[in-house]
Structures are given as C-alpha cells and as structure tokens.
Amino acid sequence: MGNSFTKRRHNRDIILMQGLSNSGKTSMLFKLRFDEELQVVDSLRESIDIHGMTLTFWDLYGREKERPMIRIYYSMTKGFIYVIDSSDGEQLDTALEELVQYILLDEETAGTVVMVLANKQDIPGAMTALEIQEALKEKYNFSSSSASAHTVFVRACSVKTMEGVNEAFEDFAEQLQLRDAGKVRRGLLPLVGDEGDVKDGKHGTFDTKDQKESLARAKVKKFLKNPFCLFKVTE
Ligand SMILES: Nc1nc2c(ncn2[C@@H]2O[C@H](COP(=O)(O)OP(=O)(O)OP(=O)(O)O)[C@@H](O)[C@H]2O)c(=O)[nH]1
Ligand SMILES: [Mg+2]
C-alpha cells in the first residue's frame, strides 16, 4: 500500500491544455472531439481515444488572472498541451514566459510530457515551429539539469485547416506511452519532417516524419507488443 505521495503520483490522469487567451485551445479540443467548429463555449473537458488510449483533456480558460492558479491541478496532470497563436508575434514572449514559469519551472510538473503547439499556421506570416522552438530555447536552458525532468516537443498545426493537429496528438499520446513504458525521452525533442525548413518565406508541410522518428516508433511498438515486458512505473 503506497503512502499518500505515491498515490497522488499514480493518480495523474489528465492532460491540461494551456496557453494565452485566443490561442485556439477550445476550438482545437472541440474539433478533435466533435469534428465541428466551436462557436459557444470557452472551456471544455473531454475524453478522446488516441493511439489506443483514452485521454482526458481539460482546456482551461486563458484569462490572465486565473492562469497562475491552474497549478492546483498539476498533481493530477500527466501531460501538458501548450497552445500558441503563431500569428501573434507581439504575445509570443508572454506566451513562452508563462510556459517556462508556470509549467517547466514548477517542480510539480516533473516527469510530464509537454507538447507546444504552434497553432494558426494557416495565417500568412505565422511564425514557424522552428522559430518558436528557437525562441523557447532562448528563454529556457534545455541543457540544465532541471530541463531533463520533462519531455518537451514543438509541433506546428492549424485548427482551421486541421493540418498537423491529429498527427501532433498522436505524437503526444505516443510520448505518454513511452513514458509509461519506462522509455522516457527527456529534454527538448527534435522537430519532425520539414517543420524546421523555412524556404522562400514559406512554411514546411507538417505531415512528413523523418526516418529516424519512424524507426523509433517501430522500436516502441515492438517493445509495447512484447508480452513479457514489465511496464515500469516511472513516477
Ligand atoms: N485562423 C485560425 N484561427 C484559429 C485557429 N485556431 C483557433 N482559431 C480562432 O481563434 C479564436 C480563439 O480560439 P479559442 O479556441 O476560443 O481560443 P482559446 O485558447 O480557447 O481562448 P480562451 O478560452 O480565451 O483561453 C477563435 O476565433 C478561433 O476560431 C487556427 O488554427 N487558425
Ligand atoms: Mg477557450
């Protein structure tokens, strides 16, 4: 029988969706869950089946005053999806500052998977995933010892066109599975496909995966299928 600390750690089963107001959290969750454009609500809690898992997402309001208080849910959280409006260059600094202060530097989030979504890629002039990743690296020292506490990765997407959204959530679920299987990848993971390419001012497409990534996936699938493998609890 575990003590209350152990119990609390093992009870982590929600995914928090965070990000500044207007970044696209609710529309994203609504479209994933109901395949419709959102018009009416600004916060949702929904369970979605992804990659053979049922994940419960809590999309919380992006209102400024409430954002620091979201940490009361951190002890129940196993992953974060941090949504950024890539078309809003003026707010990027604030968005990344909050990601660092409220999530990455909070000890309660250690061991979680953090996906940063560079949303609204359909808007001309939107910052690329690479640009956002570089800006994040300037804010947060990923080679510090505390940086290895998380699995962090950046993906580009557009809720409007749904480009990159399903793929990003699949990747997220896969990282959670890896974590649960004791095969945790720590620190900042590389971008996939040609997300990093910015040629002639154009953004890359979001759906190509590079060979290394698919090799890694194949290995994980093999590992997960092994009936003799013991699933290690990593927290
Ligand atoms: N062009 C474009 N607009 C988007 C995209 N994603 C969301 N939007 C729009 O951005 C606005 C804000 O979206 P919401 O989903 O309400 O944003 P939110 O992050 O939930 O905001 P709060 O509830 O205030 O925290 C809406 O008008 C959406 O239609 C996108 O990928 N492209
Ligand atoms: Mg909302």
Side-chain angles (χ1 to χ4, degrees), residues 21-27 42 62 119-120 122-123 158-160:
S21 186
N22 205 46
S23 52
K25 303 178 291 294
T26 313
S27 359
D42 53 6
N119 188 32
K120 305 202 186 183
D122 59 283
I123 298 180
S158 162
V159 174
K160 190 168 181 182

Side-chain angles (χ1 to χ4, degrees), residues 89-223:
E90 277 183 20
Q91 292 227 74
L92 179 68
D93 196 60
T94 311
L96 294 179
E97 185 65 30
E98 293 204 2
L99 165 62
V100 170
Q101 293 301 331
Y102 296 158
I103 300 178
L104 298 177
L105 287 176
D106 192 313
E107 281 179 12
E108 190 72 72
T109 70
T112 60
V113 176
V114 180
M115 176 165 76
V116 180
L117 284 181
N119 188 32
K120 305 202 186 183
Q121 289 294 319
D122 59 283
I123 298 180
M127 293 167 288
T128 61
L130 178 64
E131 286 164 332
I132 289 175
Q133 172 154 310
E134 290 304 309
L136 175 60
K137 273 163 55 182
E138 270 180 34
K139 283 231 168 275
Y140 187 65
N141 179 8
F142 278 96
S143 45
S144 71
S145 54
S146 57
S148 62
H150 307 93
T151 304
V152 184
F153 62 99
V154 183
R155 293 286 180 268
C157 72
S158 162
V159 174
K160 190 168 181 182
T161 64
M162 281 308 271
E163 207 171 348
V165 178
N166 288 300
E167 294 86 342
F169 276 72
E170 285 274 331
D171 285 351
F172 180 76
E174 197 169 338
Q175 290 303 329
L176 287 176
Q177 276 178 348
L178 277 168
R179 194 203 62 149
D180 289 347
K183 294 254 170 179
V184 189
R185 295 171 74 191
R186 299 205 180 272
L188 183 65
L189 308 187
L191 292 168
V192 293
D194 53 1
E195 278 182 336
D197 292 345
V198 186
K199 288 178 195 134
D200 307 325
K202 286 185 191 147
H203 305 298
T205 53
F206 318 131
D207 53 0
T208 18
K209 311 281 179 200
D210 71 16
Q211 242 186 341
K212 265 193 202 161
E213 195 77 14
S214 47
L215 267 177
R217 279 160 200 268
K219 272 190 196 160
V220 176
K221 280 189 187 133
K222 208 171 154 195
F223 176 78

